[in-house]
Amino acid sequence: MKQEFSAAIQPAYDLWNSLRADRPYPKFSDLEPETLGKLAEHAILLTVLANDDDQEPDFLFLAVGSHLAERFGPGLYRSRVSQLDDLVLRKTLLTRYRKVFASGEPVYGKGDRELDKLPYSYEALTMPLGNAETGQVTHLLGVAIYYTLQQYRALFGKDRVGENETLAPQ
């Protein structure tokens, strides 16, 4: 199934896809922060904290774009996802990030969220980075864009209801 991205998210996938070339995913070192351009405001970069004892991995925020820091506060930077105070956000992110880590494929999702007692819809794309030769995902690059209900209706012609996670096209 081919996944359709909005015009806001598509450039993130196109960049990731161009960096990976003929590999399953690009290396962390392939990513230059300036190549994100305006997407950097909506981007996060995480490192995978894999466990040797077969426990599921955790993730550490290495960089948080200004728009996401405004939405969630500056406390994300250098935080572990498993230690986020917001239980719904923690569960959503751990599920999404572990899916990307396990599959080595991007995951796209849309959903609704209340922030500061206001309704928002969002779309997010999380993409793996790592050593494709060894099959090891070492980092994740995510782009998340939040919309007011009016912005979402204008862009997509409908309201969003609930979470809808799908694997992105390869």
Side-chain angles (χ1 to χ4, degrees):
M1 167 179 34
K2 181 164 174 39
Q3 181 68 53
E4 298 277 331
F5 300 129
S6 74
I9 289 287
Q10 188 66 50
Y13 180 79
D14 291 344
L15 171 66
W16 177 85
N17 196 39
S18 70
L19 292 174
R20 77 180 176 129
D22 60 349
R23 302 170 292 184
Y25 41 82
K27 295 179 188 175
F28 174 66
S29 60
D30 292 337
L31 184 66
E32 298 288 334
E34 60 273 3
T35 61
L36 290 172
K38 291 186 79 165
L39 286 172
E41 300 171 339
H42 303 279
I44 55 165
L45 184 62
L46 302 110
T47 190
V48 177
L49 303 173
N51 296 311
D52 293 331
D53 54 2
D54 288 337
Q55 291 182 354
E56 293 188 283
D58 198 357
F59 306 87
L60 180 75
F61 289 96
L62 295 178
V64 179
S66 60
H67 284 221
L68 297 176
E70 287 173 18
R71 298 268 184 253
F72 297 105
L76 287 181
Y77 176 69
R78 302 305 268 172
S79 296
R80 288 176 176 241
V81 175
S82 66
Q83 295 174 347
L84 294 175
D85 291 335
D86 183 327
L87 298 176
V88 173
L89 181 63
R90 180 187 334 159
K91 182 180 177 188
T92 299
L93 294 181
L94 282 173
T95 299
R96 182 178 304 138
Y97 297 165
R98 287 174 176 162
K99 188 184 293 186
V100 174
F101 176 77
S103 70
E105 297 180 9
V107 171
Y108 175 71
K110 293 192 242 188
D112 300 311
R113 216 172 132 64
E114 188 175 286
L115 297 169
D116 298 325
K117 301 186 184 203
L118 295 172
Y120 284 88
S121 290
Y122 70 87
E123 61 176 333
L125 179 62
T126 307
M127 301 155 284
L129 304 169
N131 187 338
E133 290 79 31
T134 64
Q136 187 64 42
V137 174
T138 59
H139 294 82
L140 303 178
L141 172 63
V143 174
I145 300 179
Y146 281 77
Y147 306 98
T148 64
L149 188 57
Q150 294 81 6
Q151 289 170 325
Y152 198 89
R153 281 185 189 142
L155 284 169
F156 299 101
K158 59 183 177 181
D159 294 338
R160 278 294 311 148
V161 178
E163 182 91 8
N164 179 25
E165 295 285 332
T166 57
L167 289 178
Q170 285 293 307

